[in-house]
Amino acid sequence: MPSQTPLIPRRRLGQELRRLRELRGLHLEDAADHLECSPSKISRLETGQGVPKARDVRDLLDLYGVGDQRLRDQLLRLAGDGRRQAWWQDLADVVSSAMDTFISLESEASNIRYYVQSTFPGMFQTEEYARELFRAIYPRDDDVEREKRVRLRLKRQDILVEREDQPRIGVIVDEATLHRVVGSSEVMADQLAALLQASERQGVTLRVYPFAAGPDIAIQCTFVVFTFESEYDRNSVHIELSAGDRWLEQESDITRYTRIFDDLGRKCLSVEDSRDMIRSMMEYYSSKEEPPR
């Protein structure tokens, strides 16, 4: 079950509490004895997995000898942010643990690199494209569940657009995605028009990996690289597989997938040529007559 509380403030608080503990030469057991709890609770707090309580944070800051009121206020504010309910709480029944983490990172990352194979990134999907997509991949959902998924997707887009610190977004779309019909030709035409519009937003770089580029071992899965400017945040790679999502946080993995993204980018069409291809496919769908149902 997802935590339904923001991940990033909890991680930032945890990183700082660990730094302060180690600076004092204390072990997990020392902090646990002070709070009269288990070392695993302290570990969960330091890794951002536990939901912080203001009293626990104050007691730990006392133990660590933190007298700087500004720092104390900052960490207690993070504790408060880490306890508040996430905006997607009322949609919790369609939010998996992996999606909970994905949304948290997406809403805070400084740089987001998407490589997508079969569908367009959720942040750029139109309402009808998303609805038809969910109809196909979640055939057992009823109308209420499906509409919750659509609401979640659209709200994620709003949150991203409204961010004061806009992230840099790089997107590589496999050409096959342009040809894979979701819903109808009309849905596809509207989706490609929205994609073109999104590609012109500041900070967004969208390119198409064309059929002519040939096969590449790197295109065996969809992945997203989240990176942060803050030293307290952990960069992450999300890999989407049929067997389930995977998360990687080792720095070597971040470097490897960033390099893979860059290597794929060198084989992509230019930004302008990518737009031309998308525009051409949009015109194709706009002129295509739907078969009788």
Side-chain angles (χ1 to χ4, degrees), residues 6-34:
L7 172 66
I8 299 303
R10 288 186 279 119
R11 281 189 171 182
R12 290 174 179 169
L13 172 65
Q15 291 272 13
E16 186 64 9
L17 289 177
R18 179 178 180 178
R19 184 187 71 82
L20 291 169
R21 175 177 61 78
E22 292 179 342
L23 194 63
R24 295 284 291 184
L26 299 174
H27 300 287
L28 288 173
E29 292 76 12
D30 300 319
D33 287 344
H34 188 71

Side-chain angles (χ1 to χ4, degrees), residues 13-126:
L13 172 65
Q15 291 272 13
E16 186 64 9
L17 289 177
R18 179 178 180 178
R19 184 187 71 82
L20 291 169
R21 175 177 61 78
E22 292 179 342
L23 194 63
R24 295 284 291 184
L26 299 174
H27 300 287
L28 288 173
E29 292 76 12
D30 300 319
D33 287 344
H34 188 71
L35 291 191
E36 298 182 349
C37 67
S38 66
S40 63
K41 176 179 176 177
I42 303 299
S43 177
R44 287 177 57 80
L45 189 60
E46 292 186 352
T47 56
Q49 298 176 60
V51 178
K53 295 180 180 179
R55 179 177 178 178
D56 289 344
V57 173
R58 279 194 293 267
D59 287 348
L60 288 175
L61 294 179
D62 290 341
L63 174 66
Y64 303 155
V66 178
D68 185 337
Q69 191 59 48
R70 183 175 179 181
L71 178 57
R72 292 179 70 95
D73 290 345
Q74 178 187 356
L75 296 185
L76 286 168
R77 188 161 50 248
L78 284 175
D81 290 343
R83 289 194 310 277
R84 63 181 169 81
Q85 292 297 324
W87 61 261
W88 57 90
Q89 180 190 10
D90 61 338
L91 302 171
D93 51 338
V94 294
V95 178
S96 64
S97 295
M99 178 55 70
D100 178 270
T101 301
F102 191 100
I103 296 173
S104 296
L105 296 179
E106 180 183 68
S107 62
E108 296 279 354
S110 306
N111 197 321
I112 308 174
R113 299 173 178 88
Y114 285 86
Y115 170 69
V116 293
Q117 289 181 308
S118 57
T119 60
F120 299 108
M123 68 168 67
F124 296 147
Q125 290 176 9
T126 64

Side-chain angles (χ1 to χ4, degrees), residues 76-213:
L76 286 168
R77 188 161 50 248
L78 284 175
D81 290 343
R83 289 194 310 277
R84 63 181 169 81
Q85 292 297 324
W87 61 261
W88 57 90
Q89 180 190 10
D90 61 338
L91 302 171
D93 51 338
V94 294
V95 178
S96 64
S97 295
M99 178 55 70
D100 178 270
T101 301
F102 191 100
I103 296 173
S104 296
L105 296 179
E106 180 183 68
S107 62
E108 296 279 354
S110 306
N111 197 321
I112 308 174
R113 299 173 178 88
Y114 285 86
Y115 170 69
V116 293
Q117 289 181 308
S118 57
T119 60
F120 299 108
M123 68 168 67
F124 296 147
Q125 290 176 9
T126 64
E127 180 175 349
E128 197 55 37
Y129 181 95
R131 183 173 290 112
E132 293 296 334
L133 179 64
F134 291 141
R135 194 188 308 279
I137 62 180
Y138 297 108
R140 297 182 181 178
D141 274 5
D142 58 27
D143 290 343
V144 173
E145 290 173 315
R146 187 177 304 114
E147 288 309 306
K148 282 186 176 182
R149 294 187 193 278
V150 173
R151 282 170 51 202
L152 178 67
R153 184 139 297 182
L154 297 180
K155 183 62 176 178
R156 282 170 53 200
Q157 295 174 5
D158 291 341
I159 294 293
L160 202 61
V161 170
E162 293 167 2
R163 277 182 57 179
E164 292 184 5
D165 54 335
Q166 282 291 302
R168 297 182 299 279
I169 301 173
V171 181
I172 295 176
V173 176
D174 193 290
E175 184 179 347
T177 307
L178 307 181
H179 295 267
R180 183 166 290 106
V181 178
V182 173
S184 66
S185 293
E186 181 180 1
V187 170
M188 291 298 293
D190 290 344
Q191 174 59 65
L192 292 176
L195 194 65
L196 278 175
Q197 185 176 15
S199 74
E200 296 174 354
R201 281 171 25 196
Q202 185 175 4
V204 175
T205 302
L206 173 66
R207 291 167 294 173
V208 174
Y209 187 90
F211 292 142

